[in-house]
Amino acid sequence: MNKQVTEQPQSLALKDKNTISGKTVYPILIAISISHLLNDALQSIIPAIYPVIKDTFSLSFAQIGLITLTFQLSASIFQPFVGLYTDRKPQPYSLAIGMGFTLVGLILLSRAASFDILILSVAMVGIGSSIFHPEASRMAHMASGGRRGLAQSIFQVGGNFGSSIGPLLAALIIVPYGQSNIIWFSALALLAIILLINIGGWYKRKIRIKAKRPEKVVAHVQVLPKKMIIFSVLILLVLIFSKYIYLTSMTTYYTFYVIHKFGVSVQDSQVYLFVFLFSIAAGTIIGGPLGDKFGRKYVIWASILGVAPFSLLLPHANLFWTIMLTIPIGVILASAFSAILVYAHELFPGKVGMVSGLFFGFAFGMAGIGSAVLGGIADRTSIEYVYQLCAFMPLIGLITAFLPNIKTKS
């Protein structure tokens, strides 16, 4: 059902012209979420095997950071361009093609015998991700039935559950049996390709229906001045910077942190990483619906700034409390991205692919650059110092106060 938007002082209300009215298409949202789960589970194998390849190839923390930088940049640079292109010419089967790149990257990674091949293999996986995310986000938007925050949360939660599974799979299959066993995960990539081909068929039919019977959208829209929109986007990007610098400190170096500080085994460290990543997955589903109900700004504010008390305590905690603190950190931090992404969609109606590509790409890029920088800092100081430094990143969430309010009413 179409919604009419009322505008309050200093607020912006928008209705995206690409939203297809009607009921939320849950089977498609769940299928997209499952494909996101498979995609991100395969991607998360890369940081999960860092302790293995660090010993095998005698890598420094800086080289580990370079692997993450390569992976994240290849996953980020192409995303805005993919999104911009598909805004104009939707590509229903591009997701399956992207998963094909991931499949090739996994095969190369399982057989890599040098640092150069490691770099090439993670770049292939990253390219697959850059093709996947913008168009998958558009499909979730199209299936939302107007409940955009909920749709993005369902889409995101699949990816975050997938990311949490990666360390467990690595602990069970790769750590005890070696790098070559990564080849078994190619079966998941093939399964994802089959699923994505079927989702692409639904998407293609919806595009044809929309072309034949374009829907009229009744909405009262008052757009903010261009300078205010640019200012709002800059704030959102800074917030993503703070979120993903802290997040990459956890996903890339948390296993090394607990191994070095508490003397745990590699397999135990993977389990502790799973606890954190599972917390992220559990928290993801919260942000979108709360944003739909109370407003994106307040969810963004609470989810980034709210992490600060726990992040500041983490470097001073023992092993038990370190694990316990990662749970609220993951849950609270995870609720931000869905709200940020839908907020950005509302700033730029009709540009779902481009905006999704820009924000996914920027997030991955910041994670990659942050990983490389933090790796260099860890080599020069210590892994504990990295966590003392990153503990202050969530305080940047204070700038959320400068975002305009966006409210939608029936």
Side-chain angles (χ1 to χ4, degrees):
M1 180 180 295
N2 291 328
K3 292 183 178 180
Q4 187 169 358
V5 180
T6 60
E7 207 274 328
Q8 297 188 358
Q10 300 298 320
S11 70
L12 170 65
L14 295 168
K15 179 73 176 182
D16 194 321
K17 66 183 181 181
N18 278 352
T19 299
I20 293 182
S21 61
K23 296 181 179 179
T24 304
V25 189
Y26 285 104
I28 292 298
L29 287 176
I30 292 170
I32 296 171
S33 184
I34 292 171
S35 68
H36 199 187
L37 183 152
L38 294 171
N39 180 79
D40 285 21
L42 295 174
Q43 291 182 64
S44 68
I45 289 171
I46 293 172
I49 64 169
Y50 283 165
V52 175
I53 62 174
K54 188 176 189 296
D55 292 338
T56 302
F57 295 93
S58 300
L59 303 179
S60 66
F61 283 120
Q63 287 175 307
I64 292 291
L66 182 59
I67 292 173
T68 302
L69 176 62
T70 302
F71 170 59
Q72 298 288 12
L73 285 184
S74 63
S76 65
I77 290 174
F78 300 108
Q79 286 206 38
F81 301 103
V82 171
L84 183 61
Y85 179 77
T86 55
D87 277 335
R88 298 173 181 175
K89 296 181 179 180
Q91 303 295 317
Y93 298 106
S94 61
L95 278 70
I97 294 171
M99 189 59 65
F101 278 90
T102 298
L103 174 60
V104 173
L106 289 172
I107 294 171
L108 285 175
L109 186 60
S110 70
R111 296 291 182 262
S114 67
F115 183 70
D116 292 339
I117 301 300
L118 284 176
I119 292 292
L120 176 61
S121 62
V122 300
M124 294 293 289
V125 176
I127 290 171
S129 177
S130 71
I131 297 172
F132 175 85
H133 283 94
E135 197 71 338
S137 183
R138 174 199 295 284
M139 290 184 187
H141 186 88
M142 183 173 284
S144 69
R147 303 179 69 184
R148 299 185 295 272
L150 175 64
Q152 286 298 326
S153 285
I154 292 173
F155 170 59
Q156 294 293 333
V157 77
N160 287 331
F161 270 119
S163 296
S164 70
I165 292 170
L168 282 185
L169 295 176
L172 293 172
I173 299 173
I174 301 172
V175 173
Y177 302 112
Q179 174 190 342
S180 62
N181 284 273
I182 294 173
I183 193 69
W184 292 107
F185 295 101
S186 61
L188 293 180
L190 289 171
L191 175 62
I193 289 172
I194 294 170
L195 179 60
L196 291 170
I197 288 173
N198 282 279
I199 295 173
W202 171 84
Y203 187 28
K204 187 176 182 178
R205 290 190 296 273
K206 297 302 287 184
I207 292 171
R208 287 177 177 174
I209 292 171
K210 187 178 179 182
K212 292 178 181 178
R213 295 182 298 178
E215 297 190 354
K216 294 181 180 180
V217 177
V218 179
H220 172 69
V221 179
Q222 183 171 352
V223 180
L224 286 174
K226 185 177 180 180
K227 288 184 179 179
M228 181 60 73
I229 293 175
I230 294 173
F231 180 69
S232 299
V233 170
L234 289 175
I235 291 176
L236 293 177
L237 293 177
V238 172
L239 292 172
I240 285 179
F241 166 81
S242 68
K243 168 183 165 63
Y244 276 87
I245 292 295
Y246 189 80
L247 191 59
T248 198
S249 75
M250 296 295 290
T251 56
T252 303
Y253 298 110
Y254 183 59
T255 53
F256 297 112
Y257 175 73
V258 292
I259 289 170
H260 185 269
K261 185 172 182 178
F262 302 112
V264 304
S265 68
V266 172
Q267 285 181 304
D268 285 343
S269 74
Q270 300 287 5
V271 174
Y272 301 147
L273 179 59
F274 165 76
V275 172
F276 170 69
L277 294 175
F278 187 86
S279 301
I280 287 180
T284 301
I285 199 66
I286 298 173
L290 288 180
D292 284 338
K293 186 172 183 179
F294 299 109
R296 324 284 175 206
K297 175 179 175 178
Y298 304 108
V299 173
I300 296 168
W301 198 336
S303 64
I304 295 180
L305 186 59
V307 172
F310 305 101
S311 67
L312 290 169
L313 286 172
L314 184 70
H316 311 288
N318 59 24
L319 177 59
F320 173 80
W321 282 110
T322 294
I323 298 167
M324 291 297 102
L325 286 169
T326 62
I327 296 173
I329 288 173
V331 169
I332 298 170
L333 194 63
S335 60
F337 192 75
S338 294
I340 289 174
L341 190 60
V342 176
Y343 188 105
H345 287 165
E346 292 172 338
L347 288 174
F348 295 94
K351 303 292 183 182
V352 176
M354 183 198 73
V355 171
S356 298
L358 172 64
F359 278 81
F360 276 114
F362 185 78
F364 292 171
M366 284 299 98
I369 294 170
S371 180
V373 172
L374 295 177
I377 293 173
D379 282 335
R380 289 174 174 80
T381 56
S382 68
I383 198 70
E384 287 90 348
Y385 180 74
V386 166
Y387 281 83
Q388 294 170 7
L389 184 65
C390 289
F392 295 93
M393 295 302 296
L395 292 175
I396 294 176
L398 286 167
I399 68 171
T400 308
F402 296 103
L403 287 173
N405 295 320
I406 297 178
K407 293 185 179 180
T408 303
K409 294 184 179 181
S410 301

